[in-house]
Amino acid sequence: MNPINIAIDGYSSCGKSTLAQDLAKSLNYTYIDSGAMYRAVTLYILNNDLVKGDAVFDVKKALSDINIEFRFINGKNITYLNGSNVEDDIRRMYVSENVSVVAAIPEVRRKLVEHQQYLGRNKSVVMDGRDIGTVVFPDAELKIFVTADIEIRTKRRYEELMAKGITVSFEEIKNNLHERDFIDSTREDSPLFQAEDAILIDNTNLSIEEQFNKVLALAKGKISKGSSS
Ligand code: CDP
């Protein structure tokens, strides 16, 4: 078997993490949620009151105080920030409302990308995000770019948050997805775009299972190709 890295990029809330987790499980690979890292940095900044009005906070100092790790507990990847479980908090709306601004800061990206590349150094990683196929793993053997209709994406995120007991309106979610997509695609440092060699999947009308089977077949093709050459 030839271990590979799988990069999954795409717009906000289009099912990247479900796909990435299912693939990692099936291939016995490690799943890395790069968005959780940007969310954890954002949570730290918000919790420590580092953004006051227009004041620019000391990014370097904040970054040097932050330690992010993932622990695999009961079949799930849990995000830890400085030793505390922040998996639920990083999914809240106030983090979603600020994360794209934080993720556009070059120092933040540099630090997290370095960490992500380290985690993928031995291959056998499935990572999802916005710049995985373009910046983090430009040599990834399989690159997927996922998209879906905004109404469907909003509905999925709405149901996900409701299931967690987080009350938020449909419109609020839709606006947030629009805003994040805009900031993520237009920022100067590593904007979101489809890598030339990425395979586009529009999952608007695909079930989770259909999408998974499609990408699993692609992954298996890459893995067996490598072992015979
Ligand atoms: O799951 P969802 O689509 O809501 O987003 P996420 O993957 O948790 O990412 C949250 C935010 O982090 C994105 O909107 C981006 O601003 C940022 N991000 C990024 O800039 N680069 C990445 N590789 C991953 C996330």
Side-chain angles (χ1 to χ4, degrees), residues 202-225:
D202 181 335
N203 66 28
T204 307
N205 296 309
L206 290 182
S207 68
I208 289 176
E209 202 184 356
E210 284 167 334
Q211 170 173 254
F212 169 71
N213 288 332
K214 220 176 165 136
V215 182
L216 183 64
L218 291 169
K220 285 189 170 165
K222 295 281 182 190
I223 290 168
S224 58
K225 209 177 185 180

Side-chain angles (χ1 to χ4, degrees), residues 6-73:
I6 303 176
I8 303 181
D9 289 303
Y11 294 100
S12 299
S13 189
C14 60
K16 297 182 300 291
S17 61
T18 307
L19 170 63
Q21 281 182 79
D22 291 350
L23 277 176
K25 195 171 169 197
S26 169
L27 297 169
N28 208 12
Y29 276 22
T30 302
Y31 165 58
I32 312 279
D33 177 354
S34 70
M37 297 181 176
Y38 290 94
R39 286 174 177 273
V41 171
T42 307
L43 182 71
Y44 180 90
I45 290 169
L46 293 169
N47 280 354
N48 289 280
D49 230 6
L50 296 180
V51 203
K52 291 200 180 85
D54 289 336
V56 176
F57 57 89
D58 187 342
V59 183
K60 276 198 191 127
K61 160 105 181 60
L63 287 174
S64 65
D65 290 345
I66 291 173
N67 176 48
I68 300 165
E69 47 174 335
F70 295 108
R71 297 186 197 166
F72 198 63
I73 301 171

